[in-house]
Amino acid sequence: FLHKLVLGIETSCDDTAAAVVDETGNVLGEAIHSQTEVHLKTGGIIPPVAQQLHRENIQQIVQEALCASRVSPSELSAIATTIKPGLALSLGVGLSYSLQLVDQLKKPFIPIHHMEAHALTIRLTNNVEFPFLVLLISGGHCLLALVQGVSDFLLLGKSLDIAPGDMFDKVARRLCLRKHPECSTMSGGKAIEHLAKQGNKLHFDLKPPMQHARNCDFSFSGLQNVADKIIKQKEKEEGTETGQILSSAADIAAAVQHTTACHIARRTHRAVLFCQQRGLLPQTNAVLVASGGVASNLYIRKALEIVTSVTQCTLLCPPPRLCTDNGVMIAWNGIERLRAGLGVLHNTEGIRYEPK
Ligand code: KG4
Ligand code: ZN
């Protein structure tokens, strides 16, 4: 067979996903099962529940991706699977299933680091050479890294507490945006973005966190606490009970979004300058990749565009379906590793998932 073909399997959190991708980045087949609805009901992910749902769906999802690709399993060059980081119980389902498939089909196995996969996704859709800077901002991730090669990363910054999407989700829940007629079906972050358009961001004076920290780390729990205090205060003033929508909800959303955007943009700006000053990135035309659910926020994107414009860089974002967890990025990471001759295992005897 001329082309390399990789089956990718992802179960690190609450999505069961699989895809078949070829060497040129064609997605031949993909399938995904999201557990979001179930976890929304319990107010968060309960690991054993996530594990059970992965178990119920993995076979079907992998078969769907394979069928859609019209590739026979014998034609696969390798099987790539997320092995870390993530929820141990969730990861275990994907790993056990993959090892079984690897044994059965006698194929090489490529263990995948979930963050590496997120970072390399842009190379499937755009012709981006190393090195480039990546900003990963979602409900579970928050990091800035210089990507110097397929598995060569320089971590420049990370969140010291929670991820920005997590903060948006908590503020949105506190503002009861699920009860808001315009936002009832939106994620927390999306609801904040929507409501912020109707608010005045200057009505509340929030300070971007870590203004004097001489590094590229992030922090969002302070913002969440300040928002919490403002909401409590406003509930008192407006005489609303907890559970009702405040008349100042839009102003609060606008202020939180604005402060988050400032914080993310400033930390990213520092990272770009750091890399440019040390010759790690070129002075002009360097690439900044922004990915993850929070990167789909247009207000935050505008703030990042200011950063790339003053540093003469280009901002690139993968399409939304590739920004969130998916099987395509795992399969593509497999292709990247096959091409680079990195981390392809022909004997998986040593790797066994030990349930806790
Ligand atoms: O990447 P993603 O789908 O999943 C993981 O976190 O793994 O990101 C989801 C997160 C949620 O916290 C959601 O509130 C946030 O991204 N999000 C947004 C927007 N859309 C989704 N945050 C801000 N603005 C948005 N438009
Ligand atoms: Zn992810």
Side-chain angles (χ1 to χ4, degrees), residues 14 38 49 80 96 108 116 127 130 200 205 226 257 267 275 280 294 298 310 319 322 347 353-354:
D14 60 346
V38 177
V49 174
S96 306
E116 179 178 307
N127 192 6
F130 302 116
N200 178 359
D205 186 26
V226 173
Q257 176 180 255
R267 312 316 285 173
C275 291
L280 297 169
V294 178
L298 295 182
V310 299
L322 294 180
N347 179 348
Y353 171 65
E354 303 288 340

Side-chain angles (χ1 to χ4, degrees), residues 233-249:
Q233 174 75 25
K234 285 286 146 191
E235 280 171 349
K236 233 186 243 163
E237 279 174 33
E238 294 182 19
T240 42
E241 284 171 29
T242 304
Q244 279 182 302
I245 310 251
L246 290 167
S247 64
S248 50

